[in-house]
Amino acid sequence: MQKNVQISRALISVSDKTGIVELARFLHSRGVQILSTGGTARLLQQSEIPVVEVGDYTGTREMLDGRVKTLHPKVHGGILGMRDNAEHRQQMKDYGIDPIDLVVVNLYPFEQTVRKGCTYEEAVENIDIGGPTMLRSAAKNHQDVVVVVDPSDYTALQAEVESTGVVSFDTRRNLARKVYLHTASYDAIISGYFNEEQSVDFPDTWVMSGAKLQDLRYGENPHQQAAFYGDPFRSEASVATARQLHGKELSYNNIIDADAALELVKEFQLPTVVIIKHTNPSGVASAETIAQAYTKALATDPVSAFGGVIAANRPIDEAAAGEMAQLFVEIIIAPSFTPQALEILTRKKNIRLLETGTLDAKRDREKFVRKVTGGFLVQDRDLGMIDNIETCRVATEIKPTAEQYRALIFAWKVCKHVKSNAIVYANDGQLVGVGAGQMSRVDSSRLGVQRAQMPIEDTVMASDAFFPFRDSIDAAAAVGVKAIIQPGGSVRDEEVIAACNEHGIAMVLTGMRHFRH
């Protein structure tokens, strides 16, 4: 039966005290008896709001350093008792249990405690037991009980009671839904902490938790709905942690492209600019300044850069902003923007400016999840990178020059972020051509040459995976490539190496593949 509930008795016990005094004062003004515990009770008493301590109500003092205070039949019987059930009513009367109509509870700050750094013992002590039990009990019995876990719901609850004197079934059901989302997230965060503590990378049950950062206008296409969620333990600079300074709301595709751009630019230590179109780089360059790096990156493919996403690993200054403002782009994402740069870029109404803060060299060891129909895949984030390219095996008779080594590691970093099959042509500090996402590697090799706006001659080539045949080597030699970097590991490696020797091309084998599907 979907009935309205009038609040006569409330139990309030919160860790986050935001707005609780105002709500309690409102409830008291309507004659509601308030039960409370610990710090919440003291705060309400200090605010001159009459409170009945739960220990006085149950006749049992808190024990075990406060671990046991609300775990009592008079509390849970008052929450779980079904008002329309005659047997429940009789049992409640027999045991002196009064009905509790409103439960306002939020939980020990486990997430905040572990995020700021704590001992294992401190983490365990911040696992709430009584709170989730009361919340789940009240949510289960939402036919008779109002339950509130989110302080942002206090105002709406107060307005409904003030307007109608009761709380509707629809409101109670919606609040119960929010409770189960909250407790599920709370448990997911705790289990994630224990997995991390015990180095369990792939537990038997995979659980995820994420707080909504924003609703999106639509997904990849207008007929798909979408929203953006944040990982509770996110700490590394990312699109999820970035602050939007200007421009239209981010779209689903904006977020995907901005993430691709930022993750690629993080690979570089020198001032570097990345231009992304549909998650693939159309331009990448390193230079002494961001303005110079942008000019070089744009030169790779100025046509594809139109409507793209720009990422930089240094602050955007006036010189860089002046250059970038000449091109239509969707997003610029960078550690920061100088006031002069903002003054230039904000003249463009729609351009989205995202500020990430410093791009720390430390990278989070998070897992990547990819949905497939009927399930999902979980894997380690691809943080692999060559520490020192000169320690890699040179498989050919010719060894790369110092300049070629620099170009090879640059190309390898870019290639890691190109859709497979991936082929990259580069100079020392500048992307020259990209062949992305082709069904055969030789097609990617040819596409990279066809799309190049600058000479391929004397460049180096990077391949994300081994060459299955020598055809890509022959194609590279035909356009003047001087050195190649690839993982190796093909049954035809010797054939490929022989082709390099035949053409006078140096080849470095990394032993590390970077497929990107």
Side-chain angles (χ1 to χ4, degrees):
M1 179 180 173
Q2 297 183 10
K3 60 186 179 182
N4 295 325
V5 165
Q6 185 172 14
I7 300 171
S8 299
R9 184 173 293 102
L11 193 158
I12 302 177
S13 181
V14 293
S15 175
D16 180 356
K17 306 296 193 293
T18 304
I20 200 62
V21 171
E22 293 77 8
L23 177 63
R25 184 170 287 122
F26 168 76
L27 293 170
H28 172 63
S29 72
R30 297 189 67 87
V32 175
Q33 182 187 47
I34 298 175
L35 311 177
S36 191
T37 64
T40 305
R42 288 191 293 274
L43 174 64
L44 299 183
Q45 289 164 349
Q46 291 165 5
S47 303
E48 300 182 346
I49 300 170
V51 169
V52 176
E53 289 268 7
V54 165
D56 294 334
Y57 170 71
T58 62
T60 304
R61 293 182 302 170
E62 291 183 11
M63 61 181 69
L64 306 179
D65 296 322
R67 285 189 171 200
V68 177
K69 47 192 172 187
T70 58
L71 297 171
H72 192 282
K74 288 195 71 173
V75 172
H76 288 280
I79 296 171
L80 285 166
M82 299 173 68
R83 305 338 186 224
D84 295 334
N85 184 307
E87 187 176 347
H88 282 205
R89 289 199 306 273
Q90 185 59 52
Q91 288 181 14
M92 291 172 73
K93 182 178 179 181
D94 291 344
Y95 287 98
I97 296 173
D98 297 322
I100 296 172
D101 312 303
L102 169 65
V103 172
V104 183
V105 170
N106 53 58
L107 308 177
Y108 293 171
F110 181 86
E111 178 186 337
Q112 296 89 325
T113 299
V114 297
R115 276 176 66 90
K116 70 183 181 183
C118 66
T119 65
Y120 178 78
E121 291 73 21
E122 288 171 332
V124 171
E125 280 305 306
N126 275 276
I127 297 173
D128 204 326
I129 301 301
T133 306
M134 287 188 289
L135 286 172
R136 290 174 63 84
S137 299
K140 176 183 175 71
N141 197 28
H142 65 272
Q143 178 173 312
D144 294 305
V145 179
V146 185
V147 57
V148 186
V149 70
D150 186 349
S152 68
D153 288 320
Y154 295 168
T155 301
L157 174 67
Q158 181 174 328
E160 183 170 342
V161 172
E162 198 163 29
S163 172
T164 67
V166 295
V167 182
S168 70
F169 176 79
D170 286 343
T171 295
R172 300 195 310 275
R173 181 171 57 176
N174 183 52
L175 291 171
R177 176 187 65 84
K178 294 184 73 170
V179 162
Y180 287 119
L181 286 173
H182 184 77
T183 56
S185 173
Y186 194 74
D187 285 341
I189 291 167
I190 293 169
S191 65
Y193 173 81
F194 278 100
N195 285 335
E196 183 74 20
E197 277 291 305
Q198 298 172 48
S199 300
V200 178
D201 287 333
F202 300 98
D204 292 340
T205 300
W206 186 268
V207 293
M208 293 178 64
S209 173
K212 188 193 290 184
L213 301 178
Q214 65 182 98
D215 287 306
L216 303 175
R217 285 180 296 162
Y218 52 81
E220 212 162 3
N221 299 291
H223 61 273
Q224 296 169 271
Q225 293 183 320
F228 186 25
Y229 291 83
D231 188 319
F233 289 111
R234 61 192 185 276
S235 59
E236 182 181 336
S238 65
V239 180
T241 61
R243 186 165 66 104
Q244 185 167 351
L245 304 179
H246 179 73
K248 296 190 298 185
E249 285 188 357
L250 292 170
S251 71
Y252 182 99
N253 294 332
N254 287 156
I255 292 167
I256 296 291
D257 284 338
D259 175 71
L262 186 61
E263 289 306 296
L264 174 48
V265 86
K266 287 177 183 178
E267 300 282 1
F268 297 93
Q269 285 72 52
L270 294 173
T272 301
V273 168
V274 168
I275 305 174
I276 288 285
K277 196 69 174 289
H278 300 301
T279 73
N280 281 307
S282 66
V284 183
S286 300
E288 291 185 2
T289 69
I290 289 297
Q292 293 168 349
Y294 170 72
T295 301
K296 289 173 64 179
L298 181 62
T300 301
D301 188 351
V303 174
S304 295
F306 183 85
V309 170
I310 298 172
N313 63 355
R314 298 287 195 283
I316 303 296
D317 59 15
E318 183 177 9
E323 295 292 331
M324 294 174 183
Q326 298 176 44
L327 179 71
F328 167 68
V329 294
E330 293 281 354
I331 300 171
I332 301 175
I333 182 167
S336 62
F337 297 77
T338 67
Q340 297 84 354
L342 284 175
E343 198 279 326
I344 293 169
L345 293 170
T346 53
R347 293 174 196 161
K348 301 169 79 74
K349 180 181 178 182
N350 293 327
I351 189 171
R352 301 160 177 91
L353 304 180
L354 301 182
E355 184 178 68
T356 65
T358 303
L359 302 183
D360 197 327
K362 186 177 182 299
R363 314 288 286 275
D364 289 342
R365 284 184 59 255
E366 59 183 311
K367 294 290 188 288
F368 271 38
V369 179
R370 183 167 181 173
K371 188 75 178 69
V372 296
T373 303
F376 53 90
L377 300 164
V378 182
Q379 68 170 345
D380 292 331
R381 181 182 181 187
D382 185 1
L383 296 177
M385 184 45 64
I386 301 165
D387 292 326
N388 182 358
I389 189 173
E390 296 193 32
T391 64
C392 292
R393 178 191 168 200
V394 178
T396 50
E397 297 166 358
I398 299 175
K399 184 178 180 180
T401 65
E403 181 180 353
Q404 287 169 351
Y405 265 129
R406 292 194 299 271
L408 285 168
I409 191 61
F410 179 92
W412 185 245
K413 289 177 177 179
V414 175
C415 194
K416 172 183 172 182
H417 294 265
V418 176
K419 293 291 184 184
S420 302
N421 286 316
I423 293 290
V424 161
Y425 299 94
N427 291 315
D428 180 11
Q430 185 175 26
L431 178 62
V432 174
V434 179
Q438 300 306 299
M439 285 67 77
S440 76
R441 198 156 297 277
V442 69
D443 283 345
S444 290
S445 301
R446 291 168 180 156
L447 180 63
V449 172
Q450 291 167 7
R451 293 194 53 77
Q453 305 296 304
M454 296 176 287
I456 295 290
E457 189 174 3
D458 295 329
T459 61
V460 304
M461 171 199 270
S463 173
D464 65 330
F466 63 63
F467 294 101
F469 305 101
R470 64 171 286 165
D471 49 6
S472 293
I473 308 304
D474 295 331
V479 294
V481 167
K482 298 302 182 185
I484 295 174
I485 185 169
Q486 59 122 336
S490 169
V491 294
R492 291 188 174 87
D493 270 356
E494 292 308 314
E495 176 186 318
V496 170
I497 293 166
C500 286
N501 285 329
E502 180 184 322
H503 294 299
I505 296 173
M507 177 176 282
V508 174
L509 303 181
T510 66
M512 178 184 294
R513 188 181 76 183
H514 285 300
F515 268 160
R516 193 174 185 84
H517 282 210

